[in-house]
Amino acid sequence: MDRRSKGPFKDGREKLTVLRDRALFYLLADTGLRVSEACSLKRGHIDFDEFELYVTGKGSKEARIRISPRALERLQEYLEARHGLDELERLSDVFSK
């Protein structure tokens, strides 16, 4: 998975897609989140200092989930590549189109 993310890329869109897929893969694998939980994750729900995510799961229950350093690193790399694309970054979806 990581080998493909090194490039070369046809364009910035392809790079962003690869970084997004890699971040989502590690997030799901390392946290046990459901796909729907990951897809509804907002940037403001990520605590980079405490290695935690705040998610709303089944039955509208809120939970704090620990995130591994490797998943957090992939997530940061993706979000840095997306920086500036969203008007209200803190409120925008992490894995938006």
Side-chain angles (χ1 to χ4, degrees):
M1 186 93 187
D2 284 340
R3 194 168 15 123
R4 183 172 172 231
S5 64
K6 302 289 188 235
F9 302 105
K10 288 186 266 184
D11 55 26
R13 185 179 185 133
E14 180 185 20
K15 179 180 180 181
L16 203 56
T17 299
V18 169
L19 292 174
R20 181 203 61 205
D21 292 350
R22 185 177 71 159
L24 183 59
F25 173 81
Y26 280 101
L27 183 67
L28 294 173
D30 290 359
T31 62
L33 286 177
R34 294 175 181 88
V35 172
S36 61
E37 292 168 339
C39 289
S40 65
L41 190 63
K42 305 279 187 224
R43 291 179 192 212
H45 296 161
I46 305 167
D47 186 336
F48 290 99
D49 296 326
E50 296 294 325
F51 291 80
E52 291 181 335
L53 305 170
Y54 300 93
V55 298
T56 303
K58 280 187 165 183
S60 299
K61 294 181 184 176
E62 293 183 9
R64 288 184 348 188
I65 307 291
R66 296 286 296 166
I67 183 171
S68 70
R70 76 177 183 167
L72 189 63
E73 184 179 309
R74 297 332 184 266
L75 198 51
Q76 283 178 310
E77 186 179 9
Y78 167 63
L79 292 175
E80 286 172 10
R82 271 194 73 93
H83 182 70
L85 296 177
D86 302 312
E87 291 179 22
L88 300 171
E89 289 187 5
R90 181 169 167 70
L91 301 175
S92 62
D93 294 331
V94 172
F95 297 106
S96 62
K97 296 180 182 178

